[in-house]
Amino acid sequence: MADYIDLYTLQTTVRNDIGSLYPDSVWVKAEIASLSVKSNGHCYMEFSQTQGGVLVAKARAVAWRNRYLLMDSAFASVTGSRLAAGMEILALVRISYHEIYGFSLTVEDVNPEFTLGQREKLRKETLARLTGEGLAELQKNLTLSHIPYRLAVISAETAAGWGDFSRHIRENARGYAYDLRLFPAQMQGQDAPVSMMAALASVLASGERYDAVLILRGGGSGLDLDCFDDYGLCAAVARCPLPVLSAVGHDRDVHVLDMVAYAALKTPTALADFILDTTASAEAGIDALENRLNIAFAARFSALQAKMDLLFSRICQLASSAVDRAETSLKLLEMRLDSGDPRQVIRRGYTLVLDKDSVRLSSASSSVAGDTVRVVFPDGILNCRVESVGTMPYFDENKEEDGKV
């Protein structure tokens, strides 16, 4: 029969060996796979480690009540977040092995600076990757509408940030109106990046012509906001053909999403003010243009009025000259008509001889003896009969008789 040892002896040996290997507490890097605080105040955790997405190690851990309260408070004061599942931490642990309960770790302290450093390292790696792929500045090359009216909003339906934004922008003192449409998404946790990417895809697939996409979330712990440093989400935002405006967290928070977005505001209310100010600036530009048009129109109208006045004056002058010339011509014509009027001739001492048909006789040879003629004088008419037709001797220069006619 082969040599053997009993289970208790084996486990006792393992316990003694572990105790001799690690007699003092050691710093261990691990991810908190799960965390549960019991009613008695003790915190039970499970640590894990993965490589290439494959679980390679796992261990139970406990932080006793008094120690846990101090650790958690100190961790939150530095990182802005309470200890939670999903965090990668550097923990000071004491290793123990029990014959019945097996291998376990007793957590004595947690280094919050390590967690901050890991977050910052991941953030820098994400930003460097986006920059190397030419995505970091894509949004900056877009142009935001002068009047951003149709706005697609990605946020949680019950989020305080969405409520603050919508109330502030709808109740603005200037009376501006906007078309807002909410695309709900999960805004924290491991599933948040995928949820926000799906909402962004819905915006682009909606067929609506939005002026901008707004990503809103109110304040939260630093680790709650780590999702906004996710490479996949930031790359999707960078590639978006619409300007993306972000308002995530508080003034102290700067995320990779903020860096790649078209513009980043610190709070949803600040983003609402940005939209309102953009509209007000456009309105001021329109007012200035209206004033310039009014001034230009008034100047143009004055110039045209002056030209019309000058033209009217010239027309009046030309008309007056034409009337004067016409009046002069008319007077001359009247004078000519008057001078040719037989009555005027008669009044000057001449007579007018008419035949029986009242046609003027211009020659004696036009009549024969026996014709009836009328001789018109200024004071009356003589009705005569032609006795004979002869010549007037005084019209014959060759026949003069003693100066008598």
Side-chain angles (χ1 to χ4, degrees):
M1 181 178 291
D3 294 335
Y4 65 89
I5 59 174
D6 57 71
L7 179 61
Y8 177 77
T9 301
L10 175 62
Q11 292 185 303
T12 301
T13 303
V14 171
R15 183 189 65 184
N16 293 334
D17 288 345
I18 290 176
S20 62
L21 275 174
Y22 298 102
D24 301 318
S25 301
V26 295
W27 288 99
V28 174
K29 181 181 78 170
E31 180 180 329
I32 302 176
S34 64
L35 183 149
S36 175
V37 180
K38 302 301 182 182
S39 58
N40 57 12
H42 302 321
C43 178
Y44 294 89
M45 295 173 279
E46 184 176 79
F47 289 170
S48 66
Q49 180 178 345
T50 59
Q51 290 181 356
V54 178
L55 180 68
V56 295
K58 183 170 66 173
R60 291 182 294 107
V62 60
W64 304 119
R65 179 177 182 276
N66 292 337
R67 179 64 67 180
Y68 171 70
L69 292 176
L70 292 174
M71 286 189 313
D72 191 48
S73 177
F75 186 85
S77 67
V78 175
T79 65
S81 301
R82 307 286 297 273
L83 288 167
M87 295 181 181
E88 189 172 45
I89 63 171
L90 187 64
L92 182 65
V93 300
R94 181 173 293 278
I95 303 170
S96 62
Y97 187 86
H98 191 273
E99 289 84 347
I100 295 178
Y101 301 109
F103 183 84
S104 65
L105 305 173
T106 302
V107 182
E108 298 178 342
D109 199 3
V110 175
N111 185 345
E113 300 295 340
F114 171 82
T115 302
L116 284 179
Q118 290 299 102
R119 289 171 55 198
E120 185 60 29
K121 177 183 176 183
L122 177 62
R123 180 181 302 179
K124 289 181 178 179
E125 290 175 350
T126 299
L127 184 59
R129 181 178 175 184
L130 291 168
T131 301
E133 294 173 352
L135 301 178
E137 298 297 323
L138 283 182
Q139 279 279 313
K140 304 300 187 294
N141 296 325
L142 301 178
T143 301
L144 180 65
S145 170
H146 294 298
I147 305 178
Y149 168 70
R150 294 180 59 80
L151 305 173
V153 180
I154 297 176
S155 187
E157 291 183 272
T158 58
W162 160 239
D164 292 342
F165 172 84
S166 58
R167 182 170 53 255
H168 191 74
I169 201 167
R170 283 179 170 140
E171 297 175 0
N172 69 89
R174 299 184 179 104
Y176 298 147
Y178 298 90
D179 184 4
L180 305 179
R181 180 179 173 187
L182 177 65
F183 290 80
Q186 186 175 333
M187 304 304 288
Q188 70 180 52
Q190 293 181 343
D191 297 330
V194 173
S195 179
M196 284 185 277
M197 290 167 63
L200 183 58
S202 297
V203 172
L204 300 179
S206 67
E208 300 291 340
R209 295 177 61 87
Y210 290 103
D211 295 313
V213 178
L214 314 183
I215 299 180
L216 306 179
R217 189 194 191 284
S221 67
L223 295 179
D224 284 343
L225 304 176
D226 278 352
C227 56
F228 297 103
D229 294 323
D230 179 79
Y231 167 79
L233 173 61
C234 295
V237 167
R239 293 189 178 100
C240 180
L242 300 174
V244 178
L245 286 71
S246 67
V248 178
H250 297 298
D251 288 349
R252 67 177 181 271
D253 300 314
V254 179
H255 304 279
V256 178
L257 177 67
D258 298 328
M259 299 177 191
V260 301
Y262 175 85
L265 285 301
K266 294 301 182 182
T267 64
T269 301
L271 179 53
D273 285 331
F274 175 82
I275 297 294
L276 293 171
D277 290 343
T278 301
T279 305
S281 178
E283 183 181 35
I286 293 172
D287 290 343
L289 181 59
E290 181 182 7
N291 290 334
R292 290 177 60 189
L293 287 173
N294 287 336
I295 293 172
F297 178 79
R300 181 62 175 166
F301 180 79
S302 297
L304 290 175
Q305 185 66 48
K307 288 183 178 181
M308 289 179 65
D309 292 343
L310 179 60
L311 181 60
F312 180 75
S313 176
R314 292 181 61 187
I315 290 173
C316 289
Q317 292 176 357
L318 292 173
S320 178
S321 298
V323 170
D324 290 343
R325 290 194 301 272
E327 288 180 346
T328 301
S329 297
L330 182 60
K331 289 179 180 179
L332 291 174
L333 182 58
E334 288 178 347
M335 292 175 61
R336 291 178 63 186
L337 289 174
D338 287 341
S339 65
D341 189 348
R343 290 172 296 181
Q344 296 296 331
V345 175
I346 293 171
R347 290 190 185 102
R348 292 199 296 270
Y350 295 94
T351 57
L352 177 64
V353 181
L354 305 175
D355 64 12
K356 63 179 180 179
D357 297 320
S358 297
V359 176
R360 184 177 68 89
L361 295 174
S362 59
S363 173
S365 61
S366 299
S367 298
V368 296
D371 285 346
T372 299
V373 297
R374 291 188 298 167
V375 181
V376 181
F377 292 91
D379 60 347
I381 301 174
L382 295 179
N383 294 311
C384 306
R385 182 182 297 275
V386 178
E387 295 292 336
S388 62
V389 179
T391 60
M392 295 294 292
Y394 54 82
F395 285 137
D396 189 351
E397 295 179 353
N398 299 319
K399 292 181 178 181
E400 292 187 2
E401 296 180 356
D402 298 331
K404 297 180 182 179
V405 295

